[in-house]
Amino acid sequence: MKKVKVGIVGLGRLGRKHAENLAFRIPHCELTAVCSVVEEEVQEVMDEWNIPYGYTKYEDMLANQDLDAIFIASPSNFHCEQIKQALSLGFHVFSEKPLGLYVEEALDVERAVKAHPNQVFMLGFMRRYDRSYMAAKEKIEAGVIGEPFLIRCYGLDPASKMDSFLKFARANYSGGLFLDMSIHDFDLARWYLGAEAKEVWAIGGSYARPEFDEIEDAETGAAMVRFEKNAIGIFVAGRNCAHGYHIETEIIGTKGTLRIGTVPERNQVVIMKDEGVIQECVDGFLERFEQAYLSEAEEFINCILENRKPAITVEDGVQSTILGYSCKKSYETGQLIKVNA
Ligand code: NAI
């Protein structure tokens, strides 16, 4: 069978994991080119993994006619332009979330994707490929909890990463707490509830670290969202989780409840000693979603080979961005905001 030849842009925290999956763990995929503005990153990956092409300029990688597909794991402010460039040159494109940092950028990408209907475009909402989240979706579709009407999501980053986030955020615009942290939760809410958001009220602040006030962002925040069919969404996002990386989701239906990740344990080991009974916590997204990152990349490659489209659409990216911006607006103004208005 033909192999899909992929070039990846971005070799940072997540890009390197994607690159490793594409290079070694997907049978009909070949990681043919890597690109990063940091030359040492490019050289290191080329040498260690025997990758034939390396670039420090994205445009140079796009000129490589050997490639079939481009995988984008660069910082969020580059996604919109890089997606559009790759699509216009005929490549299949996978992009990390978000589509862009502004609603206009997301809509711009949507137009570009629609203008290239014969190319595969996939957005990195990897939780939809996580085994537990997939099992929850199957239970909902089988009617196990009746009609789902409430979703409660926690998206909490470890306190140990707060200093590096503050350093990043002083120099870069991240989109703010809700757009950066809750976008996967917004996507899950739409997916599980089968409904779009109508209005939102978001609050938050700085509790442990006043520096968040200086960058005009919330350290921890909560948004309450009314969805179509009068369904309810409660989203808690934060960057100061003392025990580690805590991603938890609860879906309440008319006949029952599902919970995913209630205890964010690293493994099944329970330590019992003088400090008490302890379960260690996962420390970040790479550990918690290792399987999902591989499964989403497999799906992207399979879609190309089988000439079909992934279930996640560009509209999913647009709607989640719109909801994220509405939360940001509500947080900043203190007002109840109509989503889409
Ligand atoms: P990072 O800062 O660790 O890495 C960024 C990489 O892009 C570096 O290799 C850097 O040298 C390279 N780069 C920067 N500007 C470039 C340019 N103009 N052209 C080519 N390369 C360039 O970032 P991280 O944490 O890996 O995040 C990357 C993206 O992935 C972000 O958009 C982020 O939102 C998303 N992300 C998604 C997650 C998920 O769970 N789906 C989790 C973490 C990040």
Side-chain angles (χ1 to χ4, degrees):
M1 193 191 239
K2 173 189 180 306
K3 282 201 172 190
V4 178
K5 294 190 172 182
V6 181
I8 188 167
V9 57
L11 293 170
R13 291 184 307 165
L14 185 51
R16 187 148 174 144
K17 170 54 75 183
H18 280 314
E20 207 179 318
N21 285 337
L22 294 164
F24 303 113
R25 301 197 182 95
I26 304 178
H28 300 293
C29 170
E30 192 175 307
L31 184 64
T32 307
V34 293
C35 172
S36 164
V37 282
V38 180
E39 198 172 347
E40 301 81 66
E41 285 179 355
V42 174
Q43 207 54 55
E44 191 185 315
V45 170
M46 286 177 77
D47 293 346
E48 269 181 35
W49 300 348
N50 224 359
I51 306 295
Y53 300 101
Y55 304 93
T56 52
K57 275 209 187 101
Y58 181 61
E59 289 72 17
D60 292 345
M61 182 166 81
L62 294 187
N64 184 332
Q65 311 243 332
D66 257 9
L67 299 174
D68 303 302
I70 299 295
F71 218 90
I72 298 173
S74 54
S76 306
N77 53 316
F78 294 107
H79 294 181
C80 174
E81 271 315 304
Q82 290 182 340
I83 294 168
K84 287 194 301 178
Q85 281 174 282
L87 284 172
S88 72
L89 289 167
F91 294 108
H92 303 290
V93 178
F94 177 99
S95 175
E96 254 318 317
K97 62 83 187 163
L99 292 176
L101 282 179
Y102 303 94
V103 172
E104 294 69 27
E105 284 190 337
L107 293 170
D108 219 12
V109 172
E110 185 179 34
R111 279 188 288 272
V113 170
K114 290 194 166 154
H116 298 90
N118 299 325
Q119 289 156 242
V120 174
F121 174 77
M122 185 164 170
L123 182 65
F125 281 153
M126 80 297 178
R127 288 196 203 166
R128 291 202 196 192
Y129 294 88
D130 172 79
R131 273 187 210 109
S132 302
Y133 282 101
M134 285 169 79
K137 178 72 172 169
E138 282 165 22
K139 297 287 176 214
I140 290 171
E141 286 186 342
V144 172
I145 61 163
E147 186 65 27
F149 65 87
L150 187 150
I151 184 164
R152 174 183 64 86
C153 301
Y154 285 176
L156 306 174
D157 261 357
S160 59
K161 307 269 163 67
M162 217 162 23
D163 281 329
S164 67
F165 172 76
L166 278 164
K167 194 168 159 219
F168 169 84
R170 281 196 189 96
N172 303 275
Y173 175 60
S174 73
L177 180 73
F178 294 105
L179 201 63
D180 192 30
M181 293 284 304
S182 300
I183 195 137
H184 292 291
D185 290 323
F186 297 149
D187 180 59
L188 289 177
R190 297 178 54 255
W191 193 45
Y192 286 141
L193 296 172
E196 297 297 348
K198 302 304 288 177
E199 52 190 356
V200 54
W201 185 54
I203 56 177
S206 303
Y207 303 94
R209 299 288 294 267
E211 294 100 306
F212 280 88
D213 289 336
E214 291 159 24
I215 58 167
E216 294 179 354
D217 199 0
E219 170 201 295
T220 302
M224 185 168 283
V225 179
R226 188 196 303 278
F227 284 83
E228 288 166 341
K229 303 186 276 187
N230 202 25
I232 302 161
I234 299 164
F235 302 90
V236 177
R239 303 198 188 268
N240 183 29
C241 184
H243 57 274
Y245 181 64
H246 190 136
I247 302 296
E248 180 183 348
T249 309
E250 178 176 48
I251 308 126
I252 303 180
T254 49
K255 292 183 182 160
T257 294
L258 300 174
R259 281 192 185 170
I260 306 143
T262 297
V263 178
E265 73 262 16
R266 161 164 284 162
N267 51 41
Q268 293 190 15
V269 177
V270 178
I271 306 164
M272 296 177 219
K273 52 181 286 200
D274 52 357
E275 290 166 32
V277 181
I278 299 159
Q279 269 193 286
E280 290 180 342
C281 182
V282 286
D283 84 339
F285 53 86
L286 291 175
E287 186 179 0
R288 169 63 185 85
F289 291 109
E290 186 179 19
Q291 168 264 315
Y293 292 126
L294 175 59
S295 297
E296 68 175 355
E298 279 170 347
E299 173 66 356
F300 175 60
I301 298 301
N302 287 338
C303 282
I304 295 170
L305 289 169
E306 294 161 17
N307 199 17
R308 60 180 175 81
K309 294 287 168 67
I312 297 171
T313 64
V314 69
E315 287 86 352
D316 292 321
V318 172
Q319 290 303 328
S320 304
T321 306
I322 290 173
L323 177 50
Y325 252 91
S326 303
C327 288
K328 180 176 158 66
K329 203 163 152 193
S330 177
Y331 167 67
E332 287 170 356
T333 61
Q335 303 296 309
L336 180 81
I337 299 291
K338 297 265 180 226
V339 180
N340 273 332

